[in-house]
Amino acid sequence: MNSQATRPRLLRPEGRERSEVAPIELFFDLVYVFTIIQVSHTLLDHLTWFGFAEVAVLFGAVWWAWNYSAWAMNWLDPSSGLVRVLNGLLMLAALGMALALPHAFAEDGLLFAGCYVAAQVGRPAFMAVAMRGHVLAKNYTNLLAWSASAGVLFLAGAFLDTVPRLIVWAVALLIDVSGPRFEFRFPGLGSAPMHTWPTDAAHLAERNRLVFIIALGESILIMGNTLYGMDPITTRAVLASLFGFVGLFVMWWAYFALAGHDTQASQGDVSTSALRSAFAYAHALMVAGAIVVAVSIELRITHEHTDPALVLTTVGGPLVYLAGNILFLRSRTGAVARERYFATTALVVIGVLGLTLGHSVPPIVVGLAVVLVMTTLAVATQLRSKRQEDAGAEATE
């Protein structure tokens, strides 16, 4: 029987509204407002290399749980009662992960791992049953095998001490995240090639845009809460907040001015392999960069002197964002504008100078230098995008 002959009842309907993000998806993302706050605050409390490694693994798990949920909704009918219940259960699992996150490498490790595994195993199991008669049922069976294998390690790691737990969880996350790269090939099940996943680029683009905005919003919450808690509010804190806001604005500008971001369904490579790199992987880096930017803003508001943690987060956030930005462009268009490499080089130079000069450079100067680089990038991106639009309009005349 042809895998497409029987249309599953829960499959997302075709038509004009196919790519729209449904209310249940918007509601689902609200949990990640709290989750991103937890990630940034956990990083603030663990500003060491070991702490960064811990938070990187925790964020990776949080992101991958969100990512697989967003992709599942690429195919599920959001008006179905069963699909809404599934999203509700996944929200509870995400909330449990968020609550456990600050102490996931201490007493709350089992709660974090249990909620992650419940989401990562329950979702593909639901999809494999719901999509019976469709190629996605076979695909999700393979995905289930990969996530279940990673889940065993996640649960086992929850019973270990901090260092071995970090190692085991990092390996488990690597297994889960690498599944798409290996087309979910599993002994006895074969593979699930990317071309057999019929994706909707416009829907995925919108989901990822929204979660990126949520990540930027965390910085605004941090600025407001930090200033509100200060008594008195110093001129230095106000200036640091102002430059922080400008930095957020130009990061948003650089993202949405990027040629193709507003019309990702029709521009660039829309193969599932390209979308996997552009959204599952590249956007993970961009969202992570936005979270590190939020941390750097609080450090610049509250610190009078420049230290390595302040410099590394101030420069590192935009660098991680740009790494994702470059991966996105390479995935969708195969080319990257040279201004992104110039900006990356300039940020590295600022970081080296900041670490070298240390206390002799005020935090606000480091922040201002980074803002100038990102503002230049945003303007250059806008101008390049405008030229491409004009060239395209002329070509169609």
Side-chain angles (χ1 to χ4, degrees):
M1 182 180 68
N2 189 311
S3 61
Q4 305 292 341
T6 302
R7 180 179 177 81
R9 184 169 56 89
L10 298 184
L11 191 63
R12 201 176 186 105
E14 301 293 339
R16 181 175 56 85
E17 299 179 352
R18 167 72 175 85
S19 300
E20 291 184 3
V21 175
I24 185 61
E25 297 175 88
L26 298 174
F27 185 52
F28 176 86
D29 285 348
L30 290 179
V31 175
Y32 285 87
V33 175
F34 175 57
T35 303
I36 289 174
I37 290 173
Q38 291 287 78
V39 172
S40 62
H41 286 187
T42 302
L43 181 56
L44 272 168
D45 293 337
H46 299 82
L47 286 173
T48 64
W49 288 113
F50 187 77
F52 174 79
E54 290 182 329
V55 174
V57 169
L58 296 175
F59 169 75
V62 165
W63 171 263
W64 208 240
W66 179 88
N67 172 67
Y68 270 175
S69 295
W71 279 71
M73 288 305 297
N74 200 243
W75 299 292
L76 288 172
D77 182 0
S79 66
S80 165
L82 285 175
V83 172
R84 291 175 177 177
V85 170
L86 171 67
N87 276 270
L89 293 174
L90 292 174
M91 288 175 72
L92 284 176
L95 182 59
M97 290 175 66
L99 290 170
L101 205 148
H103 305 290
F105 285 96
E107 66 272 16
D108 291 335
L110 187 57
L111 175 59
F112 183 87
C115 289
Y116 178 76
V117 174
Q120 297 300 86
V121 172
R123 186 192 313 101
F126 178 92
M127 293 294 289
V129 174
M131 295 296 153
R132 283 175 300 183
H134 193 281
V135 67
L136 287 173
K138 164 65 170 61
N139 290 351
Y140 267 100
T141 300
N142 286 55
L143 190 155
L144 173 59
W146 273 79
S147 290
S149 300
V152 170
L153 290 177
F154 259 105
L155 291 174
F159 294 97
L160 301 176
D161 292 333
T162 301
V163 174
R165 182 182 301 181
L166 175 61
I167 295 172
V168 172
W169 279 7
V171 172
L173 181 62
L174 180 62
I175 291 172
D176 214 4
V177 169
S178 62
R181 300 291 300 182
F182 293 97
E183 298 187 331
F184 300 104
R185 188 177 301 278
F186 199 85
L189 296 177
S191 64
M194 288 297 102
H195 67 83
T196 64
W197 300 75
T199 49
D200 179 358
H203 178 261
L204 289 174
E206 186 63 18
R207 286 300 299 272
N208 281 266
R209 280 196 291 258
L210 291 173
V211 80
F212 180 73
I213 290 176
I214 288 174
L216 292 180
E218 157 62 0
S219 295
I220 295 175
L221 291 175
I222 278 188
M223 282 190 294
N225 287 332
T226 303
L227 287 175
Y228 180 78
M230 297 182 72
D231 187 19
I233 298 176
T234 65
T235 302
R236 175 182 54 78
V238 172
L239 288 175
S241 299
L242 177 62
F243 291 148
F245 178 82
V246 173
L248 289 175
F249 178 75
V250 296
M251 184 177 286
W252 170 88
W253 188 2
Y255 179 92
F256 283 96
L258 183 62
H261 259 303
D262 292 329
T263 53
Q264 291 180 58
S266 58
Q267 293 187 16
D269 189 346
V270 294
S271 68
T272 303
S273 294
L275 298 179
R276 173 198 63 198
S277 296
F279 297 123
Y281 299 133
H283 271 73
L285 293 172
M286 287 192 269
V287 170
I291 292 173
V292 176
V293 166
V295 171
S296 72
I297 290 174
E298 176 156 340
L299 291 178
R300 293 197 301 275
I301 292 174
T302 58
H303 285 51
E304 294 184 7
H305 303 290
T306 300
D307 59 21
L310 186 148
V311 174
L312 290 173
T313 55
T314 299
V315 173
L319 279 175
V320 174
Y321 164 79
L322 280 174
N325 205 237
I326 290 170
L327 177 59
F328 174 88
L329 283 169
R330 286 199 174 279
S331 302
R332 296 304 308 276
T333 67
V336 179
R338 61 180 179 273
E339 55 260 26
R340 275 167 172 69
Y341 294 116
F342 292 155
T344 299
T345 302
L347 290 172
V348 171
V349 171
I350 292 170
V352 171
L353 290 175
L355 291 173
T356 302
L357 298 176
H359 290 350
S360 61
V361 178
I364 197 169
V365 173
V366 179
L368 178 59
V370 171
V371 167
L372 289 175
V373 171
M374 296 304 291
T375 300
T376 303
L377 174 63
V379 172
T381 302
Q382 181 71 52
L383 293 175
R384 178 180 289 272
S385 179
K386 179 62 176 172
R387 287 196 299 269
Q388 291 176 348
E389 290 177 3
D390 291 344
E394 291 176 1
T396 57
E397 290 179 357

